[in-house]
Structures are given as C-alpha cells and as structure tokens.
C-alpha cells in the first residue's frame, strides 16, 4: 500500500504529534497483525520507551528479575490480535500470563523453578472478565517445548541473563546484596537445568539458542518472537555482548527485525568504578524483535 493510500488512516500530523494527540486514530480493515489503529501502531514503533514496574505483590517479590506488565501489554498488543495464543518459555512469576489475560489473549508459560511456577499459577487463576485460557508448565523448556501440541501466534520472554545474578559486581551495595539482606532470592535456583547456572558463556548461548529453535517449531509462519535481554559485565570488568550475540545467532534462523529499548529511569545510580575506572550504570534492556519467515 502506498503512502497516499494510507493517508485515510494516518492523520497528517500523526508522525510528529503522536504522543500528544488524544485522538485514538482509525482502524484499517486490512490490519491482520493486531487490533491497533494506525496511530497506536506508529506509537509502538518508536525504538524506546520508559517502563516503570508496578509495585509487586508479596509472592512476586522473591523473584529476582521480573519485567513490567505494561511492557507485556504493549508488545502483546502489537504482535497479536484478541484470542491469539502467546508463549513464554521462561515464565518466572507469570507476568506474560497476566498481561495476556488483560489483553484478551490466551497464553502458555513454561517455568523450571517450582516456587515461581506456583506463583504464576496463582496469579493466572485470579478471576477476570476476559475468558482466556492460561496454562503454566513446571518443566525445563528444553523438554516442555517439544511436547507442546499447538501453534503460537507470538512468543514474548526474558531468559536468565547468563549467570549475572550469581556474580558480585562492585564494592558498593548492589541490588543483589540488598535483596540478600531482606532474605529475598538472589538467583533462580541451584538446579543444573537452570540456564542461569551455566558457567561457560558459549555453552550458555548454545543452550539459549536451542530453546529458541524449539520455539521456532511451534511458532506460526510469520509469527514474531521478542526476547528481553541485556549486555552484561563480568566480574573482570569485561562486557559480554549477550544481547548482540543472541541477536546475531538467532538472526541465522529468524529474521532479526529490530531492537526496542526498555529504558529505566527509576534505578538508583551506583559509583561502581569511581574514581579510577569507567563502569556504566546500565539502565536499559534490549527487546529484540525477530520474525519467523512466512
Ligand atoms: C528473567 S526470569 C523471567 C522473569 C519473567 N519474565 C517475569 O516477569 O517474572 C528467567 C526465568 O527462567 C527460568 N529458567 C531458567 N532455566 C530454565 C529452563 N531450562 N526452563 C524453564 N525455565 C527456566 C528461571 O527460573 C527464571 O524464573
């Protein structure tokens, strides 16, 4: 469709004023990706957004790394339509299920650690006006994915960021040290099946790739995959470009479409390298967007 044909759906000033304008915009009959208006569509495609997590319920606090439901709703709202099926192979405490339900989508989540799977089940069982199906599978994804007997329209997930949770990074009190003091979990589990416990970086990427190749098999043709991830810093001060390595690795099978940045403006800053070394205060995550070819 040419830009002229689209003009009925996109107000002239939409590209410049999309954030300020209250008008929702127009729906397009030919939109087979999502239920958004042209204006809502454009708004999502901006390559960054600030997300602040809502305060967590007591049962979710124990999990060391949860993503915000608003992020889940935005991504699911863009990459699916009402009634579609969403998959999360690293479910944690179930944010993807909660976000799917509020958007009227069905979802299946896989989580290795029993106590997080139980929290996810409890959150998924809460009553809602949206009559959707939500399922939690408490298993290793590398086993559970090959046992799934349905196709999915979209996969949204955030895997362990290698063994980052197990490493101390700096002399001042880190978030991990604060959590330890409060008696909260500082790693997901001690299990050998937990990808966050793999010591070797290349072996970790291999296993992560294996999971996403299994996801490929249950994703419908033309379906999208979004992986929330960060580049990370080792204890020696070297950066491991995990997000970029994964993008390049999965780009051999999927089509790598883009990244969108989740910016965090609510993280306190640490004086990690001061006064002799540059150490970044990392306050962004990559949302890597891939597509399975049609
Ligand atoms: C970054 S967290 C996911 C957090 C989730 N997005 C949320 O908002 O709660 C990664 C999760 O992957 C789980 N995990 C690690 N290895 C796994 C495996 N082999 N199969 C399934 N889950 C695994 C961990 O227990 C952890 O809960």
């Amino acid at each position: 469709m040419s830009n002229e044909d689209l003009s009925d759906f996109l107000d002239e000033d939409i590209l410049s004023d999309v954030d300020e304008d209250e008008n929702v915009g127009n729906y397009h009959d030919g939109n087979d990706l999502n239920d958004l208006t042209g204006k809502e569509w454009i708004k999502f495609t901006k390559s960054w957004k600030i997300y602040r997590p809502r305060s967590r319920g007591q049962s979710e606090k124990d999990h060391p790394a949860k993503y915000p439901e608003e992020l889940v709703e935005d991504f699911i709202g863009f990459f699916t339509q009402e009634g579609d099926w969403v998959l999360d192979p690293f479910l944690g405490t179930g944010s993807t299920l909660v976000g799917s339900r509020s958007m009227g989508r069905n979802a299946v989540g896989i989580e290795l650690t029993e106590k997080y799977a139980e929290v996810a089940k409890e959150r998924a069982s809460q009553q809602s006006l949206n009559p959707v199906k939500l399922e939690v599978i408490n298993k290793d994804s590398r086993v559970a994915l090959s046992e799934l007997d349905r196709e999915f329209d979209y996969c949204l997930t955030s895997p362990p960021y290698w063994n980052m949770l197990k490493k101390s990074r700096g002399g001042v009190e880190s978030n991990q040290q604060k959590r330890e003091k409060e008696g909260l979990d500082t790693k997901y589990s001690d299990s050998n099946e937990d990808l966050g416990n793999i010591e070797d970086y290349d072996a970790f990427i291999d296993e992560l790739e294996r999971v996403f190749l299994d996801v490929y098999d249950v994703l419908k043709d033309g379906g999208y995959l979004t992986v929330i991830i960060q580049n990370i810093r080792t204890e020696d001060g070297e950066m491991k470009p995990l997000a970029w390595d994964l993008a390049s690795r999965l780009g051999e099978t999927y089509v790598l479409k883009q990244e969108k940045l989740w910016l965090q403006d609510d993280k306190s800053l640490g004086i990690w390298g001061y006064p002799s070394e540059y150490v970044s205060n990392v306050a962004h995550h990559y949302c890597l967007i891939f597509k399975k070819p049609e």
Side-chain angles (χ1 to χ4, degrees):
M1 184 174 280
S2 72
N3 281 348
E4 264 171 37
D5 295 334
L6 278 172
S7 59
D8 287 349
F9 300 94
L10 307 178
D11 297 338
E12 276 197 359
D13 58 356
I14 187 171
L15 294 170
S16 53
D17 289 344
V18 75
D19 279 336
E20 290 79 34
D21 201 335
E22 297 288 305
N23 174 7
V24 181
N26 301 314
Y27 292 93
H28 190 304
D29 287 343
N31 180 355
D32 57 4
L33 178 59
N34 57 42
D35 302 327
L36 301 180
T37 65
K39 188 170 282 190
E40 291 164 335
W41 176 299
I42 290 189
K43 203 167 171 176
F44 177 84
T45 58
K46 188 162 84 177
S47 65
W48 61 268
K49 184 166 173 180
I50 297 169
Y51 290 103
R52 294 196 189 127
R54 295 170 200 158
S55 62
R56 299 194 198 186
Q58 197 53 41
S59 58
E60 300 146 53
K61 270 195 187 146
D62 209 17
H63 192 282
K66 186 178 163 303
Y67 52 41
E69 276 77 8
E70 191 197 343
L71 177 151
V72 177
E73 287 163 5
D74 277 0
F75 277 82
I76 286 178
F78 192 87
F79 289 110
T80 61
Q81 296 180 312
E82 200 172 340
D84 277 354
W85 281 86
V86 178
L87 173 66
D88 183 346
F90 299 104
L91 183 65
T93 52
S95 313
T96 304
L97 299 193
V98 173
S100 296
R101 177 177 54 207
S102 68
M103 298 299 290
R105 275 64 164 172
N106 305 293
V108 175
I110 306 165
E111 170 56 44
L112 176 73
T113 308
E114 189 180 355
K115 72 172 173 179
Y116 303 142
E118 285 306 316
V119 174
K121 277 183 197 164
E122 204 276 313
R123 294 178 78 202
S125 68
Q126 283 160 16
Q127 291 226 324
S128 158
L129 293 175
N130 283 337
V132 295
K133 297 192 184 79
L134 302 175
E135 189 188 349
V136 178
I137 302 171
N138 179 203
K139 273 191 182 175
D140 184 336
S141 284
R142 291 164 294 184
V143 176
L145 282 165
S146 59
E147 295 170 354
L148 292 174
D149 56 2
R150 68 157 42 261
E151 272 204 327
F152 291 84
D153 300 280
Y154 178 50
C155 175
L156 172 66
T157 195
S158 178
Y161 295 0
W162 187 30
N163 56 13
M164 187 174 92
L165 291 178
K166 292 165 67 189
K167 304 292 175 190
S168 147
R169 282 156 293 140
V172 277
E173 189 177 55
S174 67
N175 193 31
Q176 292 301 85
Q177 288 160 333
K178 280 188 204 148
R179 288 183 61 87
E180 205 167 345
K181 270 192 194 162
E182 289 171 34
L184 298 171
D185 286 354
T186 54
K187 58 182 168 165
Y188 302 125
S189 72
D190 292 319
S191 164
N192 288 334
E193 295 163 315
D194 182 337
L195 267 53
N197 290 332
I198 300 176
E199 281 303 319
D200 181 72
Y201 180 70
D202 292 324
F204 168 74
I205 300 247
D206 286 347
E207 288 310 303
L208 208 48
E209 182 181 24
R210 184 173 150 195
V211 171
F212 289 117
L213 293 184
D214 287 346
V215 167
Y216 190 93
D217 290 339
V218 291
L219 198 60
K220 73 168 194 198
D221 292 347
Y224 287 82
L225 157 71
T226 302
V227 184
I228 317 292
I229 197 133
Q230 276 181 322
N231 292 327
I232 53 189
R233 195 172 77 86
T234 67
E235 283 170 306
D236 306 335
E238 181 199 356
M239 186 180 94
K240 288 283 187 194
L242 173 57
W244 303 341
D245 284 343
L246 188 68
S248 144
R249 193 68 92 83
L250 295 188
E252 290 169 15
T253 311
Y254 294 85
V255 179
L256 174 62
K257 299 293 282 186
Q258 252 304 348
E259 85 266 337
K260 181 169 168 125
L261 296 185
W262 157 22
L263 303 183
Q264 298 168 293
D265 69 346
D266 56 348
K267 272 185 85 176
S268 44
L269 301 178
I271 45 167
W272 306 116
Y274 181 81
S276 56
E277 177 92 14
Y278 172 72
V279 181
S280 173
N281 267 287
V282 179
H284 68 280
H285 297 245
Y286 290 91
C287 310
L288 303 176
I289 299 166
F290 302 90
K291 185 175 184 186
K292 178 173 175 176
E294 302 276 355

